[in-house]
Amino acid sequence: MKATHKLLFVLCPMLVLVFIFYSSGKLHLHGWGQKPLFDQQGFLLKLDGKLSDDLVSKYGNLSRGACKPGYAAAKMSVIYPKFVKPAPMFLDRNFRRLTKVTNFLPPFGFKTQERIIDNILTATKNYGLGPELDRLSCKRCIIVGNGGILANKSLGSRIDEYDVVVRLNEAPVSGYTRDVGTKTTLRITYPEGAIQKSERYEKDSLFVFSAFKPLDFKWLRQMIFKEKLQGTEGFWKSVARYVPREPSEMRILNPFFIQEAAFQFIGLPMNNGLMGKGNIPTLGTVAITMALHNCDEVAVAGFGYDMNTPHAPLHYYETVKMSAIKESWTHNISKEKEFLQKLVKANVITDLTKGI
Ligand SMILES: *[C@@H]1O[C@H](CO)[C@@H](O)[C@H](O)[C@H]1NC(C)=O
Ligand SMILES: *[C@@H]1O[C@H](CO)[C@@H](O)[C@H](O)[C@H]1NC(C)=O
Ligand SMILES: *[C@@H]1O[C@H](CO)[C@@H](O)[C@H](O)[C@H]1NC(C)=O
């Protein structure tokens, strides 16, 4: 009797182990037998621009040209099921509750900068796009890149039709309006990219600050409080000393968009959450990421470099040629392009200049 007991004690766990081993093996074999549906980043491998049936029934009856509420996010979720839409555009007084960015240093979060941000946000007092745009139930946004591909295409009036026109860094408007439009809702900038001549700023746009290093927050505080600029050693080129904007017209871009673009969307090296070789997305891709979370429809223009035309201009406002582009230490242009091409191919975003 005792011996059979012992035998049972040994046999039962063994049977359980064998069963577990067998079933997990089967699961594995099953997994191997199927072709993976998603790539490493979690994007659907088979991308086509077609609307799924539920999106057709949702948007099919809208009158032609009407803004489609939630369209970009819905299409994004089809090709990238991990997508979670809510992510505020700008930091507000509750920024410490943004758990995904609290534990990262700039540029992927705001750790170590909390007090200076409190200071800044107390002065700006405004954390949205402004009453008129915040009230819109459906927003169409366009991100205007600085690419030479925008030149001589007369897209200005089409760009002006968007509710939110986003421009980057020093991209000029005056003198180029036929091609780039007249309207600027947001100008997203880091210190080295900011317009340096006050008279070059357009009349009314929000100055949206995007930080790439801790020092950048100090610069922003000096700009907001109109202080004399001090401590410029850490910048990689000269920076603006004065920004002709009231504190109420300044915003801090949520650093989550840099983090998500780098690590989730493009798949750049994590480097323990620190800035490292080739793991910083370009500002244009950061802006597109922001728009996917905050706009109902998203378009872009002036994006993409065509390396087959080295003599074409790099920027629409300069004569610097494409061939001048250098291998970048911070960005990974080719990996970034793969991500943007997924968005275009699946019609998540519309590329007006077709350069992506
Ligand atoms: C659009 O029309 C289809 C059938 O014509 C209908 O099933 C669907 O509910 C409608 N969608 C909306 C959003 O009205
Ligand atoms: C745009 O047109 C102007 C005037 O015709 C010309 O000088 C310039 O080279 C053109 N730029 C590009 C990028 O084609
Ligand atoms: C970009 O990514 C590719 C693929 O991961 C890698 O081989 C290449 O070295 C990266 N370039 C830079 C500049 O980091």
Side-chain angles (χ1 to χ4, degrees):
M1 194 61 181
K2 270 210 158 140
T4 37
H5 251 123
K6 264 190 187 159
L7 193 68
L8 272 176
F9 262 115
V10 178
L11 257 178
C12 282
M14 263 181 68
L15 275 173
V16 170
L17 279 177
V18 166
F19 176 77
I20 289 173
F21 185 77
Y22 176 74
S23 51
S24 70
K26 257 189 89 151
L27 280 173
H28 267 136
L29 284 176
H30 200 70
W32 283 332
Q34 282 176 347
K35 284 228 174 96
L37 292 171
F38 297 95
D39 66 15
Q40 260 183 327
Q41 265 63 62
F43 284 91
L44 203 62
L45 280 170
K46 258 180 77 179
L47 299 176
D48 58 36
K50 274 199 240 109
L51 276 178
S52 61
D53 290 342
D54 48 331
L55 291 189
V56 168
S57 69
K58 188 165 176 203
Y59 297 119
N61 315 347
L62 287 179
S63 63
R64 235 181 110 76
C67 181
K68 300 188 266 307
Y71 184 78
K75 292 224 70 175
M76 182 67 175
S77 303
V78 170
I79 64 161
Y80 183 81
K82 286 187 276 184
F83 188 70
V84 180
K85 189 176 182 219
M89 204 181 265
F90 309 124
L91 296 189
D92 64 22
R93 300 304 297 274
N94 295 320
F95 71 95
R96 283 188 176 82
R97 292 188 204 152
L98 299 170
T99 52
K100 285 174 181 144
V101 272
T102 47
N103 289 318
F104 284 83
L105 291 164
F108 306 114
F110 49 69
K111 197 176 167 183
T112 69
Q113 302 301 309
E114 293 87 350
R115 286 188 51 196
I116 203 168
I117 294 174
D118 267 331
N119 215 308
I120 290 167
L121 295 180
T122 308
T124 66
K125 296 189 178 70
N126 291 270
Y127 317 107
L129 284 172
E132 208 174 304
L133 286 171
D134 288 340
R135 228 183 292 122
L136 276 187
S137 58
C138 193
K139 275 193 287 294
R140 289 179 146 149
C141 306
I142 185 161
I143 320 297
V144 183
N146 300 355
I149 198 164
L150 256 180
N152 294 346
K153 293 215 165 63
S154 304
L155 284 171
S157 53
R158 274 187 77 191
I159 289 171
D160 280 342
E161 283 170 11
Y162 286 81
D163 304 302
V164 174
V165 178
V166 180
R167 300 188 197 275
L168 309 171
N169 282 326
E170 72 222 313
V173 174
S174 169
Y176 301 89
T177 55
R178 194 172 61 94
D179 290 330
V180 307
T182 57
K183 179 169 163 182
T184 307
T185 318
L186 313 176
R187 183 176 284 280
I188 308 181
T189 303
Y190 47 80
E192 294 91 341
I195 299 177
Q196 300 200 10
K197 293 195 171 126
S198 295
E199 66 273 16
R200 291 238 184 110
Y201 280 83
E202 55 275 340
K203 254 212 309 286
D204 40 19
S205 66
L206 291 177
F207 181 87
V208 179
F209 166 80
S210 180
F212 282 84
K213 44 192 185 316
L215 175 66
D216 295 353
F217 282 100
K218 226 168 120 188
W219 174 85
L220 179 65
R221 192 184 57 195
Q222 291 168 330
M223 293 304 109
I224 290 205
F225 293 103
K226 315 287 180 219
E227 291 166 4
K228 193 165 174 335
L229 184 65
Q230 284 173 337
T232 56
E233 297 84 42
F235 296 114
W236 48 268
K237 70 190 255 294
S238 68
V239 295
R241 308 192 146 259
Y242 177 76
V243 173
R245 284 287 180 272
E246 292 304 313
S248 61
E249 300 165 319
M250 293 166 128
R251 304 285 184 272
I252 302 176
L253 190 72
N254 184 351
F256 174 65
F257 306 124
I258 300 183
Q259 182 189 128
E260 185 181 48
F263 305 142
Q264 264 83 54
F265 292 168
I266 312 175
L268 298 174
M270 277 283 293
N271 192 35
N272 292 319
L274 300 173
M275 180 186 271
K277 184 177 184 295
N279 80 348
I280 309 296
T282 60
L283 194 58
T285 294
V286 172
I288 292 173
T289 302
M290 175 279 282
L292 293 176
H293 288 277
N294 289 284
C295 302
D296 297 278
E297 291 182 30
V298 180
V300 301
F303 273 78
Y305 306 107
D306 184 359
M307 284 306 175
N308 298 320
T309 56
H311 298 296
L314 182 60
H315 295 134
Y316 68 80
Y317 48 88
E318 284 173 343
T319 49
V320 178
K321 300 262 191 285
M322 197 89 75
S323 48
I325 195 169
K326 291 181 201 82
E327 187 62 36
S328 168
W329 188 84
T330 41
H331 305 309
N332 194 322
I333 300 294
S334 59
K335 282 206 76 150
E336 200 166 310
K337 191 164 180 150
E338 283 172 24
F339 160 58
L340 296 180
Q341 281 171 340
K342 292 174 200 171
L343 298 185
V344 171
K345 199 162 174 202
N347 277 330
V348 177
I349 63 175
T350 308
D351 180 12
L352 297 191
T353 39
K354 300 193 163 54
I356 290 175

